[in-house]
């Protein structure tokens, strides 16, 4: 079940909200858990059982680690817990990748297992790992299994993030407030995220598929592909994060922000402070710092950086293009730290052109599994192969999608948010904004519904995660 499906929007959400607010507080987490398991089981009961097994292991090991904290056995329990939980992800997500590469190296033909990837396994695996490590570091273990299971299985952030740490919501699992104001903020955020996903991300994906299927390629076509795919990935990611944060508010939770207008960055370093922030901070706290961070000899520091970025890419998908994508950013970050950053700081214009070019080329690699084909597309941005700059077909699709492209580009900056904030907080227009905003949200929701009814395209980026 997807957030951007009519079943979710008109049946699932209505049912859980009615029941959630009808029961006393002590039963609310149980309601969240039951509906979350149903939501996840919609894609396959056996995968829901796998998640329940992972949660059970996290719960049991959490209690054991707390009980023996300070003793050597606690470290053993932590290591075993992490190994058990991550083994599920390794098996379901990476087995065929390892077999393919083993066959390529050895010349053997071991058949692939063709294992179906459980949706969201990358997200809940990281959440359970962070939980048991935090307990080892001193966080109190959750004694109530329903509370822990509700945190891990919570449907708003289960399949698409953000990666919510237990320490961020531990208090709210047991004591949280609900209000009409907070719920209204949640509804607003959810509708904005849904609109970003359905109206912009899906349209950018359709454009990228049209270009990808076109027989005659041009320089302009390649640029349109790079821009559309970067916008698709951003609005898909951030749209789902907005929906998760909005749903969290409705149920009384405050999830941390996951995106902060990354396309206005002036360096790769800044880009990754703004892009998928929950993932970046997770790798920093649970891999980079435990490896020694930058408090080690320079060669070890570089090794730590490249290890983090290799695993960042590999987390996104079991293919070499994801690993290359992650290492690409790792190399950029090292170059910036040692040399480039001081020059980028001197010119905002050049720095922004640099990062946009880096992002576009990187997301071409991210999206196209074949590295040879991806490099052909990157070469096409600069006219490699003597291709023409434009064609009648290129100009036709540019005109057809011009309004959407401009809207997406503007929407990827803080401009609209700043204008809306200024409008709603001004003495002259504040009262008008209180009327206009809910009307616009209702209209947006109606338009999204019309798109979902009429459209056969509703791509889901997270099937790869």
């Amino acid at each position: 079940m997807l957030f951007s499906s009519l079943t979710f929007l008109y049946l699932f959400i209505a049912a859980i909200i009615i029941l959630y607010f009808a029961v006393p507080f002590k039963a609310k987490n149980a309601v969240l858990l039951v509906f979350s398991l149903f939501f996840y089981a919609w894609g396959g009961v056996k995968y829901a059982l796998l998640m329940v097994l992972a949660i059970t292991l996290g719960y049991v090991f959490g209690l054991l680690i707390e009980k023996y904290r300070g003793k050597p056995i606690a470290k053993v329990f932590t290591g075993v817990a992490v190994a058990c939980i991550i083994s599920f992800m390794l098996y379901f997500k990476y087995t065929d990748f390892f077999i393919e590469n083993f066959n390529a190296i050895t010349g053997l033909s071991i058949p692939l297992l063709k294992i179906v990837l459980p949706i969201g396994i990358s997200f809940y695996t990281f959440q359970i790992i962070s939980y048991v490590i935090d307990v080892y570091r001193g966080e109190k273990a959750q004694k109530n299994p329903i509370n822990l299971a509700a945190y891990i299985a919570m449907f708003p952030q289960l399949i698409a993030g953000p990666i919510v740490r237990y320490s961020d919501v531990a208090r709210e699992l047991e004591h949280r407030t609900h209000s009409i104001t907070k719920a209204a903020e949640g509804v607003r955020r959810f509708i904005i995220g849904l609109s970003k996903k359905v109206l912009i991300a899906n349209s950018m994906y359709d454009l990228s598929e049209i270009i990808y299927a076109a027989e005659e390629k041009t320089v302009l076509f390649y640029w349109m592909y790079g821009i559309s795919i970067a916008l698709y990935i951003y609005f898909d990611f951030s749209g789902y994060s907005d929906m998760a944060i909005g749903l969290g508010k409705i149920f009384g939770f405050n999830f941390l922000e996951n995106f902060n207008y990354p396309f206005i960055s002036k360096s790769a370093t800044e880009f990754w402070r703004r892009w998928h922030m929950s993932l970046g901070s997770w790798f920093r706290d649970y891999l980079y710092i435990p490896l020694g961070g930058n408090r080690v000899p320079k060669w070890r520091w570089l090794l730590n950086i490249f290890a983090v970025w290799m695993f960042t890419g590999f987390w996104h998908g079991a293919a070499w293009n994801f690993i290359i994508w992650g290492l690409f950013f790792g190399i950029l970050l090292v170059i910036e730290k040692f040399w480039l950053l001081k020059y980028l700081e001197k010119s905002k214009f050049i720095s922004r052109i640099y990062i946009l070019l880096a992002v576009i080329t990187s997301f071409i690699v991210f999206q196209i599994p074949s590295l040879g084909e991806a490099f052909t597309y990157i070469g096409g941005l600069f006219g490699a192969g003597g291709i023409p700059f434009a064609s009648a077909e290129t100009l036709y699709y540019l005109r057809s999608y011009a309004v959407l492209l401009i809207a997406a580009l503007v929407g990827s900056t803080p401009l609209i948010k700043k204008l809306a904030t200024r409008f709603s907080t001004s003495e002259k227009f504040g009262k008008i904004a209180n009327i206009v905003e809910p009307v616009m949200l209702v209209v947006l929701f109606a338009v999204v519904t019309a798109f979902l009814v009429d459209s056969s395209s509703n791509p889901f980026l997270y099937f790869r995660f």
Side-chain angles (χ1 to χ4, degrees):
M1 192 185 305
L2 306 181
F3 290 174
S4 55
S5 68
L6 295 175
T7 302
F8 179 84
L9 295 174
Y10 285 93
L11 294 177
F12 184 87
I13 282 293
I16 187 174
I17 287 179
I18 291 171
L19 187 57
Y20 178 85
F21 286 103
V23 301
F25 183 85
K26 289 184 178 180
K28 290 189 186 300
N29 286 345
V31 170
L32 274 178
L33 175 59
V34 170
F35 273 85
S36 294
L37 291 175
F38 176 80
F39 173 86
Y40 198 73
W42 188 270
V45 174
K46 60 182 178 181
Y47 301 122
L49 294 176
L50 173 69
M51 184 175 64
V52 170
L53 174 59
I55 292 170
T56 303
L57 288 173
Y59 174 74
V60 171
F61 276 110
L63 294 178
L64 289 172
I65 292 165
E66 182 181 56
K67 181 178 180 180
Y68 295 100
R69 186 184 293 142
K71 298 180 181 179
I73 192 65
K75 192 171 186 178
V76 174
F77 283 138
T78 304
V80 172
V82 171
C84 288
I85 299 304
I86 206 167
S87 67
F88 296 155
M89 185 173 73
L90 288 173
Y91 174 76
F92 283 95
K93 189 171 182 176
Y94 299 107
T95 298
D96 280 348
F97 173 80
F98 292 133
I99 293 175
E100 282 180 346
N101 285 277
F102 183 78
N103 287 343
I105 293 170
T106 63
L108 297 175
S109 299
I110 300 173
L112 301 180
L113 300 183
K114 297 182 179 179
I115 303 168
V116 177
L117 177 66
I119 298 174
I121 191 170
S122 299
F123 291 97
Y124 73 71
T125 295
F126 272 24
Q127 291 190 179
I128 299 173
I129 289 174
S130 67
Y131 166 71
V132 296
I133 292 176
D134 285 349
V135 172
Y136 174 76
R137 291 174 175 175
E139 187 77 39
K140 288 184 178 180
Q142 176 56 251
K143 304 299 190 298
N144 188 324
I146 292 177
N147 287 354
L148 182 65
Y151 150 67
I152 295 169
M154 199 180 301
F155 74 91
Q157 46 79 44
L158 175 62
I159 62 172
I163 300 172
V164 179
R165 302 189 198 181
Y166 176 74
S167 57
D168 293 332
V169 295
R171 181 183 172 280
E172 292 175 341
L173 283 168
E174 299 177 358
H175 307 284
R176 59 184 181 273
T177 58
H178 302 86
S179 68
I180 294 176
T181 301
K182 195 171 184 178
E185 290 176 5
V187 170
R188 175 182 177 274
R189 188 67 179 269
F190 178 84
I191 292 176
I192 290 173
L194 180 66
S195 302
K196 288 164 69 174
K197 159 62 181 166
V198 175
L199 303 182
I200 301 180
N202 287 4
S203 298
M204 291 298 100
Y205 177 82
D206 291 342
L207 175 58
S208 70
E209 288 294 285
I210 290 170
I211 297 171
Y212 189 75
E215 294 184 3
E216 183 185 2
K217 298 292 197 298
T218 64
V219 173
L220 187 56
F221 240 176
Y222 283 121
W223 276 101
M224 287 172 62
Y225 180 84
I227 292 170
S228 63
I229 210 65
L231 290 170
Y232 157 61
I233 293 171
Y234 167 68
F235 280 104
D236 205 65
F237 255 124
S238 65
Y240 266 102
S241 290
D242 286 341
M243 286 188 274
I245 292 169
L247 289 169
K249 284 186 178 295
I250 293 172
F251 299 116
F253 292 93
N254 294 290
F255 300 152
L256 297 178
E257 294 295 332
N258 208 25
F259 290 86
N260 184 23
Y261 302 104
F263 291 155
I264 67 170
S265 302
K266 298 182 287 296
S267 66
T269 304
E270 182 183 358
F271 179 83
W272 276 98
R273 292 195 189 111
R274 295 173 174 272
W275 177 276
H276 206 341
M277 295 183 288
S278 64
L279 179 67
S281 63
W282 195 98
F283 272 110
R284 179 195 66 208
D285 294 342
Y286 298 101
L287 184 59
Y288 180 68
I289 292 176
L291 286 174
N294 60 0
R295 301 182 303 276
V296 292
K298 187 171 291 185
W299 68 271
R300 274 285 306 279
W301 175 49
L302 292 173
L303 188 63
N304 292 345
I305 290 174
F306 288 125
V308 167
W309 286 100
M310 183 188 73
F311 284 116
T312 298
F314 206 28
W315 178 88
H316 284 84
W320 281 105
N321 63 306
F322 294 112
I323 295 175
I324 299 298
W325 176 78
L327 288 174
F328 170 78
F329 275 108
I331 292 169
L332 277 187
L333 289 169
V334 169
I335 293 173
E336 287 182 2
K337 288 178 185 296
F338 281 102
W339 172 68
L340 189 58
L341 205 56
K342 60 183 178 182
Y343 296 104
L344 292 176
E345 292 172 350
K346 294 179 180 179
S347 173
K348 292 183 179 180
F349 176 76
I350 293 176
S351 62
R352 286 200 168 95
I353 295 297
Y354 147 77
I355 193 59
L356 289 175
L357 182 60
V359 167
I360 288 171
T361 55
S362 72
F363 281 128
I364 289 175
V365 174
F366 183 94
Q367 184 67 13
I368 301 177
S370 168
L371 290 174
E373 191 175 12
F375 290 136
T376 298
Y377 271 61
I378 294 171
L381 297 173
F382 306 99
I387 58 174
F389 178 78
S391 67
E393 184 182 15
T394 307
L395 296 175
Y396 168 77
Y397 283 111
L398 180 60
R399 287 193 298 268
S400 300
Y401 281 86
V403 174
L404 273 171
L405 281 167
I406 293 171
L409 289 168
V410 173
S412 67
T413 72
L415 178 61
I416 295 176
K417 182 178 180 180
K418 287 181 178 179
L419 291 175
T421 301
R422 184 174 298 180
F423 182 71
S424 62
T425 56
S426 70
E427 294 183 6
K428 186 175 182 181
F429 299 107
K431 292 182 179 179
I432 299 175
N434 292 334
I435 300 172
V436 171
E437 182 181 289
V439 172
M440 288 184 65
L441 291 175
V442 170
V443 171
L444 268 178
F445 192 75
V447 172
V448 166
T449 300
F451 265 72
L452 291 175
V453 170
D454 186 60
S455 176
S456 59
S457 175
N458 193 16
F460 185 53
L461 182 65
Y462 304 92
F463 279 130
R464 292 188 284 196
F465 303 163

